[in-house]
Amino acid sequence: MNIEALIKENILLQQQLDDYKGLFETIDIPIIIIDESGTYLDYNRVYYNLMGYTDKSELINYHPANVSPKFQPDGLESFSKANDMIQMALEKGKHSFEWMHKRPDGKEFLSYVTLDAIDYNQKKCIRAVINDISERKKLERVVKEKTKKIEEQTKKLLKAQHISKMGFWELNLTNNQLYWSDEIYNIFEIDKSEFKASYDGFLNVIHPDDRGLVNEAYSNSLKTKENYSIEHRLLMDDGRIKWVREECNIEFDVDRNPLISVGVVIDITELHLTQQKLIEQAYADDLTKLNNRKSYTENIQKLLSQYKRYQTPFSIIMYDIDNFKQINDVYGHIIGDNVLIEMSQLIKSHLRESDYIFRIGGEEFIILLTKTQINKAKLVSEKIRNSVENNLNTIKDKKITISIGLTEVEENDTEDSIFQRVDSLMYESKNSGKNRVTSE
């Protein structure tokens, strides 16, 4: 090649190099050009600013082995490690890694370094692209910590739901997609892997007698745009009854069209049973388990109210055990208690579910025969008296009898008037020889 051609080629190469450097300086990413020995051949201003240098010439032809420690980016100790990375990039053509940089002012930052083998100024070199990932790593740590915290809170929430027996559900009304939390499946006793959540499926778990009530509550909330709360029963496959309280909130768009229903289902079976037990204790006689006087007062008021409003008839029976004090004195109070218990069971077996029986005193009892006039009530009274005399065998070889008073509700009757009347009729039976029914 003649001298003229050589000069032209050098001019072209210099022009290409100048063009490259011009482009090199416009790139908004820190870049370094390093030769095979690790000497810095060039770097752009972005890298210069990133590393905190005051003179761009400070790193040109830099090599950790031949410059003052003042200008050693990352220090001599890290150079051997960096050199290993350079050699790996030269062998494979590309290599990436994370690197902790130390600036001359002592500040540190983490970067993601990408090394590419390139030809630079007719030499085999490495182009290192430096991406400062310090802020990203901080953000990742924050996200990781928040994610961990959310996971911990979620676990606590799930545990709290399980302990409190409260499940969460959400229904998207635009696509009819229903979500149930795990605790919903637990409350409904449904296998999550075999059953897809659906509103129809929810209704199927509800006790048949309560389905209409629940469906109506939900439908009305869509119309009235008000939240609702309702207690209802669930019917399990084995026949068990559960009680739940359901609360629902519905979200609407600007045009008042329903978008999402969000609700909770709380298993209140134990609470309901406890409440029922307390009610029974408040209204039941401890010994006979019949209704007590407090229960009688409420029910006679209810029947009197129905009679005055609808003229619905009812009859009232009062009975007393004949010579009960003698039974206690001769046979003892335990036998006397057994007489009360067994007699109560026997008489209750002759009554309808709509009738009421109460223990209002020691050996005094009242029966309310609903929707029953006096003629039918006489038959019931005689049946009860006869059954006690002939079928109650609590004490061997001893007949136990009762004296009965019977009356039907009358116009202008009050709680006191009807009680006084039937009480007088009962004592008339006792004073007339006992073991009989006296009615008006």
Side-chain angles (χ1 to χ4, degrees):
M1 180 181 293
N2 57 37
I3 294 176
E4 185 178 348
L6 185 60
I7 291 172
K8 287 183 178 180
E9 183 177 351
N10 285 336
I11 292 173
L12 180 61
L13 288 173
Q14 185 63 45
Q15 184 179 352
Q16 290 175 342
L17 183 59
D18 291 342
D19 291 342
Y20 176 80
K21 287 185 176 180
L23 178 63
F24 188 55
E25 283 297 336
T26 62
I27 297 174
D28 195 27
I29 299 174
I31 299 176
I32 321 166
I33 305 298
I34 308 171
D35 68 11
E36 293 179 278
S37 69
T39 300
Y40 281 48
L41 301 180
D42 201 358
Y43 63 96
N44 63 0
R45 185 170 294 276
V46 182
Y47 178 78
Y48 158 75
N49 292 332
L50 177 65
M51 293 303 299
Y53 287 94
T54 58
D55 186 345
K56 192 173 188 297
S57 65
E58 287 175 333
L59 285 178
I60 296 299
N61 297 320
Y62 157 78
H63 191 284
N66 57 24
V67 298
S68 167
K70 175 182 177 183
F71 303 123
Q72 292 172 4
D74 305 329
L76 279 170
E77 184 180 346
S78 66
F79 177 73
S80 60
K81 297 178 182 178
N83 191 56
D84 291 341
M85 302 296 181
I86 292 170
Q87 298 306 315
M88 191 176 298
L90 288 170
E91 293 174 7
K92 296 183 177 180
K94 192 178 187 72
H95 185 57
S96 299
F97 53 92
E98 289 185 2
W99 191 266
M100 182 63 74
H101 294 273
K102 186 174 182 180
R103 293 164 34 129
D105 59 8
K107 294 181 180 179
E108 293 183 339
F109 68 92
L110 184 66
S111 73
Y112 184 78
V113 181
T114 301
L115 303 181
D116 290 290
I118 64 170
D119 290 327
Y120 180 83
N121 203 15
Q122 296 182 315
K123 292 174 62 177
K124 193 74 171 178
C125 296
I126 291 295
R127 178 180 63 211
V129 178
I130 315 295
N131 286 292
D132 185 352
I133 60 172
S134 301
E135 292 302 320
R136 192 187 79 188
K137 283 294 182 179
K138 289 180 183 177
L139 181 60
E140 286 178 355
R141 285 195 297 271
V142 171
V143 171
K144 187 175 181 180
E145 290 173 0
K146 287 188 177 293
T147 300
K148 184 179 179 181
K149 190 173 182 179
I150 290 172
E151 289 175 350
E152 291 174 351
Q153 290 175 338
T154 300
K155 288 180 181 179
K156 290 179 181 179
L157 178 60
L158 291 174
K159 186 176 181 180
Q161 286 187 26
H162 182 67
I163 292 173
S164 62
K165 297 183 179 180
M166 179 183 71
F168 164 82
W169 61 268
E170 180 178 287
L171 174 62
N172 188 322
L173 295 163
T174 59
N175 58 19
N176 204 35
Q177 290 296 310
L178 177 64
Y179 165 79
W180 285 353
S181 69
D182 289 345
E183 192 57 29
I184 291 276
Y185 286 95
N186 291 336
I187 293 172
F188 291 169
E189 299 183 14
I190 292 175
D191 188 341
K192 184 177 181 179
S193 63
E194 297 179 1
F195 182 84
K196 183 179 180 181
S198 69
Y199 185 66
D200 288 339
F202 165 63
L203 289 177
N204 287 335
V205 183
I206 297 174
H207 192 286
D209 294 342
D210 293 350
R211 286 174 192 164
L213 184 68
V214 175
N215 195 42
E216 183 180 3
Y218 182 70
S219 299
N220 286 341
S221 70
L222 291 174
K223 296 175 184 176
T224 63
K225 298 177 174 54
E226 295 180 356
N227 302 337
Y228 74 88
S229 177
I230 187 173
E231 293 184 6
H232 61 84
R233 292 168 292 176
L234 303 179
L235 180 60
M236 301 296 101
D237 290 339
D238 59 4
R240 285 179 297 113
I241 299 294
K242 281 187 174 183
W243 280 86
V244 297
R245 181 168 70 248
E246 183 187 352
E247 298 182 4
C248 175
N249 176 48
I250 301 177
E251 298 179 10
F252 299 85
D253 62 18
V254 293
D255 297 321
R256 305 297 287 164
N257 296 313
L259 294 176
I260 297 175
S261 294
V262 179
V264 294
V265 177
I266 307 170
D267 186 345
I268 60 169
T269 303
E270 292 182 8
L271 175 62
H272 180 81
L273 292 176
T274 300
Q275 290 174 336
Q276 288 299 113
K277 187 174 181 180
L278 290 173
I279 291 173
E280 289 174 1
Q281 289 174 346
Y283 288 91
D285 174 61
D286 289 337
L287 179 65
T288 64
K289 307 308 177 186
L290 299 179
N291 296 321
N292 60 17
R293 185 155 195 147
K294 180 178 181 181
S295 178
Y296 163 75
T297 300
E298 291 188 5
N299 280 281
I300 191 65
Q301 290 173 349
K302 180 177 69 175
L303 291 178
L304 284 169
S305 177
Q306 290 175 351
Y307 175 76
K308 290 176 182 179
R309 186 171 184 178
Y310 304 110
Q311 295 298 303
T312 305
F314 69 90
S315 294
I316 178 171
I317 296 172
M318 178 181 286
Y319 65 91
D320 181 276
I321 302 175
D322 296 330
N323 304 314
F324 187 66
K325 184 178 183 303
Q326 184 182 13
I327 292 174
N328 279 330
D329 291 343
V330 175
Y331 299 99
H333 287 279
I334 294 177
I335 296 299
D337 287 348
N338 289 339
V339 169
L340 292 171
I341 294 169
E342 293 181 17
M343 179 181 293
S344 297
Q345 294 172 348
L346 176 63
I347 293 177
K348 192 173 182 179
S349 69
H350 293 295
L351 301 177
R352 303 166 300 179
E353 288 187 6
S354 59
D355 298 327
Y356 303 94
I357 180 171
F358 311 89
R359 184 187 180 194
I360 60 169
E363 65 269 23
E364 289 186 345
F365 299 79
I366 283 181
I367 299 172
L368 295 176
L369 301 176
T370 62
K371 299 180 181 179
T372 305
Q373 293 179 319
I374 191 73
N375 291 336
K376 179 70 179 293
K378 287 179 181 179
L379 297 176
V380 175
S381 298
E382 282 295 342
K383 186 177 182 180
I384 289 172
R385 185 201 61 76
N386 183 68
S387 180
V388 170
E389 181 182 11
N390 295 294
N391 300 322
L392 186 61
N393 301 310
T394 308
I395 303 174
K396 188 176 180 180
D397 299 327
K398 178 173 177 59
K399 285 189 177 294
I400 299 172
T401 62
I402 58 175
S403 296
I404 298 175
L406 168 65
T407 188
E408 182 181 349
V409 64
E410 297 176 355
E411 198 71 34
N412 300 321
D413 252 336
T414 64
E415 179 186 342
D416 289 336
S417 66
I418 197 170
F419 183 87
Q420 290 174 5
R421 191 164 68 250
V422 75
D423 182 61
S424 297
L425 291 168
M426 186 267 293
Y427 274 100
E428 187 176 334
S429 289
K430 294 185 78 67
N431 295 329
S432 300
K434 304 176 182 175
N435 190 23
R436 63 184 61 206
V437 175
T438 301
S439 61
E440 296 177 312

